[in-house]
Amino acid sequence: MASDQGNLDEPFELSIDLDRTSSTPLYTQIAEPLEHLISTGTLLPGRLIEDEISMACRLSVSRPTARRALQELVSRGLVTRRRGVGTRVTPKHVRRPLALTSLNDDLTKAGFTPRTEVLRYEVLLTDEDDAAKLGCTVDEEIVRVTRRRWIDNKPLAIMTNLLPARYAPSFTDLAHQGLYSCIRERGIELLSATQSVGARNASEVEADLLHIGTGSSLLTMERTAYDGAGAAVEYGLHYYDAQRYSFKFTLSSE
């Protein structure tokens, strides 16, 4: 397919007919063809993509839908969004693999001997909320797992993960290994992820599971990890006892 020859600073407008009766979310219907154009080299590195306001107006979708479509591309390393610069196709040399590790691997490297307790293992069909988290359609088969991670005979974290059924490790595997180790053993390579970190107070149930007081501080981590094709492999929502765990970030200037 020939590359787009337009001016790099001229906002590219995707021409598409949205199927509003489809179970595929509108943001996915927008993001997927843009991903294809970028991946095939049709849209050149540095090409400006129209902003979410213009996209929402032109395609008659809500602004959050347009924003989600562009964010999907950001999450996969295909575009960058910067104030004053706009949304642009990422230069190829910037699309590098990211090192993704599991809590189990991190604890082992730090000298701990972690233990995992699988609290729940369910095979179910996605509802709209789960489908949005994994970027898939409603009624796809997935596995939802809730685990409790222990160190020094004390619970440290409660971890809930959603995985497409084709990627999901068995109950037994998860009881003995970290999730990412299980995924790697299936020949799946995780190349990128979106992650957010927050904090809140523990509910009575969470406090009971972590052996802390109700209302104690929790650190929260929400992550979606993707393979090389940009498909979501797992979504995780984890809660940590804030008195025993913290996140460390390495920052650099542009």
Side-chain angles (χ1 to χ4, degrees):
M1 183 179 294
S3 63
D4 172 59
Q5 299 299 316
N7 185 327
L8 292 181
D9 292 324
E10 178 185 349
F12 175 78
E13 297 180 350
L14 178 68
S15 177
I16 184 174
D17 292 322
L18 297 174
D19 183 355
R20 300 176 194 275
T21 64
S22 171
S23 60
T24 301
L26 292 176
Y27 69 83
T28 300
Q29 293 185 47
I30 297 170
E32 285 187 345
L34 281 171
E35 178 181 357
H36 177 74
L37 292 173
I38 294 170
S39 299
T40 58
T42 304
L43 286 179
L44 298 175
R47 182 63 196 269
L48 183 65
I49 307 294
E50 69 175 320
D51 62 66
E52 65 189 46
I53 298 176
S54 170
M55 179 181 290
C57 235
R58 194 174 55 80
L59 298 180
S60 297
V61 297
S62 68
R63 185 170 173 181
T65 294
R67 182 184 305 122
R68 177 68 183 272
L70 294 175
Q71 187 57 45
E72 288 292 306
L73 300 177
V74 172
S75 300
R76 299 172 195 184
L78 297 173
V79 303
T80 56
R81 304 187 73 188
R82 296 175 59 188
R83 187 181 299 276
V85 177
T87 301
R88 291 184 181 270
V89 177
T90 308
K92 290 183 178 179
H93 72 276
V94 176
R95 296 179 201 153
R96 60 191 186 279
L98 302 176
L100 301 175
T101 59
S102 68
L103 174 60
N104 190 77
D105 294 339
D106 291 341
L107 292 174
T108 300
K109 289 179 181 178
F112 295 100
T113 303
R115 175 168 67 88
T116 302
E117 178 184 5
V118 180
L119 302 176
R120 179 179 294 180
Y121 188 101
E122 302 173 288
V123 179
L124 63 158
L125 299 178
T126 53
D127 56 20
E128 290 187 0
D129 185 52
D130 291 340
K133 289 183 173 74
L134 288 173
C136 63
T137 59
V138 174
D139 287 338
E140 284 196 28
E141 187 175 73
I142 62 169
V143 171
R144 176 185 286 126
V145 183
T146 300
R147 297 166 294 155
R148 178 163 54 174
R149 183 64 43 77
W150 298 69
I151 57 170
D152 300 332
N153 294 316
K154 295 180 181 179
L156 174 68
I158 305 165
M159 305 172 294
T160 297
N161 294 86
L162 305 177
L163 303 97
R166 63 188 179 278
Y167 297 140
S170 68
F171 183 106
T172 302
D173 287 343
L174 288 171
H176 295 93
Q177 301 181 67
L179 174 61
Y180 284 7
S181 294
C182 292
I183 290 174
R184 287 194 295 270
E185 285 186 353
R186 284 160 173 73
I188 302 164
E189 186 178 6
L190 301 176
L191 292 185
S192 63
T194 58
Q195 178 169 295
S196 60
V197 176
R200 65 175 181 78
N201 297 328
S203 68
E204 185 176 348
V205 172
E206 294 159 350
D208 183 59
L209 287 171
L210 291 173
H211 299 180
I212 57 179
T214 301
S216 296
S217 297
L218 296 178
L219 283 174
T220 67
M221 188 276 288
E222 187 174 13
R223 173 192 283 178
T224 305
Y226 303 91
D227 64 14
V233 175
E234 67 95 16
Y235 164 84
L237 181 59
H238 300 178
Y239 303 128
Y240 304 87
D241 177 1
Q243 295 185 40
R244 305 179 62 218
Y245 193 83
S246 62
F247 293 99
K248 181 180 180 180
F249 297 90
T250 299
L251 305 177
S252 60
S253 60
E254 295 184 347

